[in-house]
Amino acid sequence: ASAPHRRGAAPRARAQRSASHERCLCLGGRRLDAPRATRVAPVGSFEARIDSTAAGGDRVARHQGIVVFVPRSAPGALLRVDAEQQGRLMRGRIAELIDPSSERIQPPCPHYTVDKCGGCQIQHLDYARGQLPAKSRIIADALTRIGRAAIDAPTVEKSAEQWRYRT
């Protein structure tokens, strides 16, 4: 008796498996390229200073050598962060602004803080002093770190309108 298989799919003998399939196997028969469940473990609360910007607009801090992504934070700010560890990194949220950044402003759109709208990830930063430099750093990081191109950070031109425009 043979084992049941999906409708329309012929059972494959072990010898018929592709060479790439055989290279992808690891201990226990799980493919290395198969998705894994990410373990999320609460870390608790700690103080952290924001030191850089990630591609999606989140800011980056470090805690005990681990990268912590903190959305809606500003460069140079000292925060109390509530975080969860997700694999080799942490995701945090601002529990308290201990020493706010000089680039932080009150976001003009009520949806930004009330329902955490995702349309404007850096609305809490001053346009000229925070948003334009952040966009420049994001572009430079993508081209140098990811694209492996040796470039200087580009100049992001100021728009005549700060809201309701696309560049």
Side-chain angles (χ1 to χ4, degrees), residues 22-86:
E22 293 302 325
R23 282 194 305 268
C24 290
L25 292 178
C26 70
L27 292 176
R30 189 182 67 78
R31 291 177 58 105
L32 291 175
D33 58 351
R36 287 187 293 221
T38 304
R39 288 182 294 208
V40 176
V43 174
S45 183
F46 53 85
E47 287 185 13
R49 186 161 304 271
I50 301 300
D51 61 20
S52 61
T53 304
D58 287 354
R59 296 301 173 144
V60 178
R62 285 167 176 71
H63 176 68
Q64 298 178 347
I66 299 174
V67 172
V68 185
F69 292 100
V70 186
R72 299 169 190 247
S73 57
L78 180 62
L79 315 166
R80 175 153 300 284
V81 177
D82 291 335
E84 293 179 333
Q85 183 139 8
Q86 296 179 351

Side-chain angles (χ1 to χ4, degrees), residues 62-146:
R62 285 167 176 71
H63 176 68
Q64 298 178 347
I66 299 174
V67 172
V68 185
F69 292 100
V70 186
R72 299 169 190 247
S73 57
L78 180 62
L79 315 166
R80 175 153 300 284
V81 177
D82 291 335
E84 293 179 333
Q85 183 139 8
Q86 296 179 351
R88 296 181 306 191
L89 57 90
M90 290 187 212
R91 299 229 178 253
R93 70 168 191 80
I94 301 172
E96 177 187 358
L97 283 169
I98 298 169
D99 182 20
S101 170
S102 62
E103 297 174 18
R104 182 179 269 299
I105 62 167
Q106 184 63 36
C109 178
H111 296 286
Y112 187 76
T113 52
V114 173
D115 58 13
K116 304 288 190 222
C117 169
C120 311
Q121 293 88 343
I122 56 176
Q123 194 179 119
H124 61 282
L125 299 176
D126 177 77
Y127 182 70
R129 293 180 300 127
Q131 290 185 25
L132 297 178
K135 291 174 184 181
S136 176
R137 285 189 297 268
I138 290 168
I139 293 166
D141 182 57
L143 293 173
T144 56
R145 188 177 57 81
I146 300 166

Side-chain angles (χ1 to χ4, degrees), residues 11-19 21-22 25-26 28-29:
R12 296 178 85 184
R14 188 167 193 64
Q16 293 177 333
R17 289 186 180 167
S18 70
H21 177 79
E22 293 302 325
L25 292 178
C26 70

